[in-house]
Amino acid sequence: MRVFILLVLSVTVVTSESWSIVPSFKSFFKEQSDNVKTFYNDAVNKKDAVDNYIEEQQQVIQNNIINYIDDIAVTARSLVDSSTYHPDVDPSSMLENPDTVLSVPGIITRHGYICETHTVISQGYVLNIHRIPRSKYGRKKPSKTVLLQHGLFASSADWIINGPGKGLAYVLADAGYDVWMSNIRGNRYSKDHVWFKTDSENYWDFSWHEVALYDVPAVIDYILKIKGKDTKITYIGHSMGTTILFAMLSLRPEYNDILSAGFALAPVVFLSDMKSPLKSMAPIASNLAYIDGLQGTYEFIPKNSALGKISSTCNGENMDSLICKNIVFYLCGFNERQFNKTLLPVFLAHLGTGTSWKTAVHFSQEILSGKFQKFDYGFLNNWRVYGAGSPPEYDLSKVTAPIKLFWSKNDLLSSEKDVRELYNKLPSKPEMFLVPDEKFNHLDYLWAIDAPRLLNQEILNSLQTYMSDYTFSIRF
Ligand SMILES: *[C@@H]1O[C@H](CO)[C@@H](O)[C@H](O)[C@H]1NC(C)=O
């Protein structure tokens, strides 16, 4: 554009002077046109220089803006991080259901029930026990006490995820029970320790054995202290919660008299007939735990562990990949008909709790040995720990409390054969209840759409049977 204007000016100069210097017109014109040409070339070079300069400046300005925005973002993020809890979930799902971000007491309270948190110290582990002391309908204080014990990778959230009217904790509270829900050491509600750092090897040196030997007895003692020493408690465990029940009653037989009954939902005691992919993983679980240990990770399946990485290799955002991403669905099976999809974000948000490498290896040992036995430290160390080359079995003949086994046909972890073996080894010849749904699986106990019809009614009926034989001393 500038070049064009200069050309017009040159032509004007030529015209005005052409009268006086006509002979030299040709040379003049040539000179002028050469000048124009030079100027033109010069201008072109200048234009490139200007363009380059502007481009450079634009880049600098752009970089400055980007850095500026980055700085603001970092500053803002660090400010927000210092005061906000960031759950590991898609933010859009938060808006649909606040249960994805709320803790267990928050969810229970949101639904209009009272939730108390009681703290019990066991071997330095700070255990937080959640309690729904009564129904939200009516103010009558219940006298009968139920203790709910969750399974592997889980928490007290298991008993409330299905919501009021379906989740067992609400159902029991509404039916007039005082509901206590323990959280085992190492899970998100019982993570603190009085003297160990939570990422230390010592902290994670436990399996369900220590939970059964120390923690659940400590929780029961605490409940007796609060409610009176004659209080009778019905223990309801799911999955590893049943492992803990039978280990506790064999290691601490005095607790047989405190429990009015023990209900085992999806019993996990003998595991030799397990159908889950966990069975084929059992031989490598020790190695994975070992690799994690070498890297200084003693929590099993936290996000950065070897297995955590394996479980996060699925891509995509659809339902299948969500399930694929979740190791627990992979291990326990998935029953589309009984699973309420709107609960998936809630379930995923509450699952992110690991366990110890020792728990994982202990379960692997049960799968491989087919025995319900203590942790196998290897021949030489077993001599040191147990005074024998192989670990002792838990003595199920000591389990004298009334027991009821709830089992289902489609349970990948708790097969009919293994449940029958448990039944045969229990001296009291427990009651058996087969959940009347062919497809019912290991995790449906927690959130089945038809839980009221398939499970809850049976639990309520059984509680009435087992707890009505006692007179209760009510002390609050
Ligand atoms: C699924 O869960 C949502 C949220 O708790 C609930 O509103 C809905 O009724 C449930 N659907 C079924 C089929 O139970």
Side-chain angles (χ1 to χ4, degrees):
M1 186 58 133
R2 246 182 254 162
V3 172
F4 173 74
I5 292 167
L6 287 166
L7 273 172
V8 173
L9 281 174
S10 321
V11 169
T12 313
V13 169
V14 168
T15 316
S16 65
E17 288 193 14
S18 58
W19 292 104
S20 51
I21 351 164
V22 175
S24 58
F25 176 72
K26 247 180 148 181
S27 61
F28 177 73
F29 188 78
K30 192 182 174 301
E31 203 182 312
Q32 287 302 313
S33 57
D34 281 343
N35 284 347
V36 169
K37 231 191 252 169
T38 311
F39 188 85
Y40 181 78
N41 286 335
D42 198 22
V44 168
N45 292 335
K46 281 209 173 71
K47 182 187 169 287
D48 282 350
V50 169
D51 281 354
N52 288 341
Y53 178 73
I54 288 174
E55 228 170 73
E56 256 169 52
Q57 285 307 304
Q58 273 178 343
Q59 198 58 53
V60 170
I61 291 165
Q62 196 173 314
N63 287 343
N64 286 347
I65 290 173
I66 288 171
N67 292 341
Y68 178 63
I69 290 171
D70 276 356
D71 285 348
I72 289 178
V74 168
T75 314
R77 221 178 288 136
S78 67
L79 274 174
V80 171
D81 278 349
S82 63
S83 60
T84 313
Y85 164 63
H86 281 275
D88 195 13
V89 291
D90 170 12
S92 62
S93 65
M94 290 182 209
L95 301 172
E96 285 161 27
N97 194 335
D99 292 356
T100 54
V101 286
L102 290 173
S103 65
V104 165
I107 296 172
I108 292 171
T109 311
R110 182 173 89 83
H111 288 300
Y113 290 77
I114 294 167
C115 178
E116 299 172 358
T117 301
H118 294 258
T119 303
V120 177
I121 311 272
S122 172
Q123 289 202 307
Y125 292 90
V126 181
L127 312 175
N128 284 305
I129 316 305
H130 295 134
R131 177 195 193 189
I132 306 180
R134 58 171 167 269
S135 170
K136 75 167 165 178
Y137 311 104
R139 300 195 57 78
K140 194 170 147 282
K141 281 183 178 175
S143 58
K144 298 176 185 181
T145 307
V146 180
L147 175 60
L148 306 181
Q149 177 58 61
H150 64 78
L152 192 60
F153 303 118
S155 72
S156 50
D158 279 11
W159 309 107
I160 59 156
I161 271 180
N162 220 353
K166 286 186 179 178
L168 193 58
Y170 298 114
V171 169
L172 293 175
D174 288 343
Y177 292 91
D178 178 10
V179 182
W180 296 71
M181 297 170 274
S182 54
N183 282 295
I184 71 162
R185 53 169 81 181
N187 95 351
R188 67 169 57 177
Y189 296 106
S190 300
K191 197 95 176 191
D192 286 345
H193 193 281
V194 177
W195 57 85
F196 289 145
K197 283 170 74 176
T198 57
D199 60 354
S200 68
E201 192 172 358
N202 282 331
Y203 177 94
W204 290 105
D205 185 15
F206 65 83
S207 81
W208 76 76
H209 175 84
E210 285 73 18
V211 176
L213 186 58
Y214 304 110
D215 297 359
V216 176
V219 170
I220 291 175
D221 291 351
Y222 177 86
I223 296 174
L224 297 190
K225 204 178 86 190
I226 297 277
K227 299 198 69 178
K229 64 176 170 42
D230 298 326
T231 305
K232 292 286 178 186
I233 298 170
T234 294
Y235 178 110
I236 302 179
H238 172 249
S239 189
M240 187 177 70
T242 71
T243 323
I244 293 165
L245 170 67
F246 294 111
M248 176 180 76
L249 293 179
S250 92
L251 295 166
R252 306 283 299 268
E254 65 273 24
Y255 286 87
N256 280 291
D257 296 332
I258 297 170
L259 298 191
S260 41
F263 294 174
L265 314 182
V268 170
V269 173
F270 296 104
L271 294 169
S272 59
D273 191 44
M274 161 187 275
K275 307 285 190 284
S276 158
L278 198 59
K279 187 166 187 175
S280 55
M281 283 162 62
I284 60 161
S286 313
N287 295 335
L288 284 172
Y290 178 69
I291 292 166
D292 281 349
L294 283 184
Q295 294 169 346
T297 309
Y298 306 102
E299 184 178 1
F300 193 62
I301 323 196
K303 283 191 186 60
N304 296 323
S305 73
L307 204 54
K309 278 173 192 152
I310 292 172
S311 70
S312 65
T313 49
C314 321
N315 295 315
E317 290 309 323
N318 56 27
M319 187 75 180
D320 283 347
S321 74
L322 273 175
I323 293 160
C324 172
K325 272 176 194 163
N326 199 292
I327 193 84
V328 173
F329 279 122
Y330 174 64
L331 298 180
C332 300
F334 181 69
N335 176 6
E336 184 136 34
R337 204 154 46 87
Q338 286 298 335
F339 186 70
N340 184 344
K341 287 182 184 63
T342 61
L343 294 181
L344 185 66
V346 183
F347 167 70
L348 292 178
H350 284 272
L351 207 120
T353 178
T355 187
S356 68
W357 64 271
K358 202 171 180 181
T359 303
V361 174
H362 200 171
F363 271 124
S364 309
Q365 292 174 356
E366 308 281 299
I367 294 166
L368 294 172
S369 70
K371 290 177 181 167
F372 185 42
Q373 62 185 16
K374 295 184 187 172
F375 193 85
D376 190 344
Y377 291 96
F379 185 77
L380 288 179
N381 283 328
N382 286 339
W383 273 104
R384 191 171 56 78
V385 178
Y386 305 118
S390 53
E393 291 185 47
Y394 293 99
D395 186 356
L396 288 173
S397 73
K398 295 222 172 88
V399 180
T400 54
I403 298 290
K404 181 155 182 164
L405 305 179
F406 294 73
W407 66 288
S408 66
K409 283 263 168 71
N410 191 37
D411 192 328
L412 293 183
L413 297 176
S414 181
S415 81
E416 176 166 3
K417 180 168 167 283
D418 288 336
V419 173
R420 296 231 174 261
E421 184 173 357
L422 173 62
Y423 172 87
N424 289 329
K425 293 233 164 95
L426 290 171
S428 63
K429 293 294 162 260
E431 259 196 85
M432 298 271 269
F433 176 72
L434 171 62
V435 180
D437 178 343
E438 288 287 314
K439 287 269 192 296
F440 207 81
N441 74 23
H442 198 72
L443 296 175
D444 286 336
Y445 290 89
L446 308 180
W447 56 50
I449 287 171
D450 296 322
R453 176 173 63 82
L454 295 171
L455 185 68
N456 294 348
Q457 198 49 53
E458 180 70 18
I459 290 176
L460 290 176
N461 294 345
S462 307
L463 278 172
Q464 255 181 350
T465 311
Y466 286 105
M467 296 198 94
S468 61
D469 299 335
Y470 299 93
T471 38
F472 298 93
S473 66
I474 309 160
R475 272 177 258 164
F476 287 96

